[in-house]
Amino acid sequence: MGTLEYNSSRPPIEVDDETLAHLKIVIGTKLRRHESFMMTWLPEEKNPAGRLTIWMHPSIPLSLAFDHAEMPAIDSKRIERMMENLNARGELVLDQLG
């Protein structure tokens, strides 16, 4: 499991390396364009807080850590679906990324 750490204010979000590689492209594209958006995910089971949402902004530090040195294969159709969903809603929902 890789991790996505945003602004160091919360524990890192654990994400499998394949999903993290796709997130890297989608998030990087939006932030490079200076486009802010929300990202929502379900926290770990040990934290019963329900859904968590953060505001992704180009000025806030973001760190992606992969478990493996080699990058997973990128599925361009998956990237397209993720970008379409994000652009339509203004929100990237991690449990709907497949």
Side-chain angles (χ1 to χ4, degrees), residues 33-91:
R33 294 175 183 165
H34 297 279
E35 297 175 7
S36 302
F37 60 94
M38 291 183 289
M39 186 171 75
T40 298
W41 70 98
L42 294 172
E44 296 179 21
E45 289 182 29
K46 64 183 178 184
N47 182 353
R51 291 191 164 286
L52 293 173
T53 299
I54 57 175
W55 182 249
M56 300 290 283
H57 188 274
S59 68
I60 300 173
L62 172 68
S63 173
L64 304 170
F66 293 86
D67 274 351
H68 304 287
E70 56 283 338
M71 287 298 290
I74 299 298
D75 177 357
S76 60
K77 294 292 185 192
R78 185 175 183 184
I79 297 291
E80 287 176 28
R81 285 191 308 273
M82 291 170 70
M83 289 298 290
E84 286 172 3
N85 288 335
L86 174 54
N87 290 330
R89 293 191 305 240
E91 178 178 26

Side-chain angles (χ1 to χ4, degrees), residues 1-7 12-17 19-29 31 39 54 56 61-68 71 92 94:
M1 286 296 232
T3 58
L4 183 151
E5 187 173 342
Y6 187 68
N7 197 29
I13 303 164
E14 290 190 355
V15 183
D16 64 89
D17 276 4
T19 299
L20 192 58
H22 288 78
L23 283 173
K24 178 182 170 184
I25 293 168
V26 171
I27 292 170
T29 298
L31 297 181
M39 186 171 75
I54 57 175
M56 300 290 283
L62 172 68
S63 173
L64 304 170
F66 293 86
D67 274 351
H68 304 287
M71 287 298 290
L92 185 59
L94 296 185

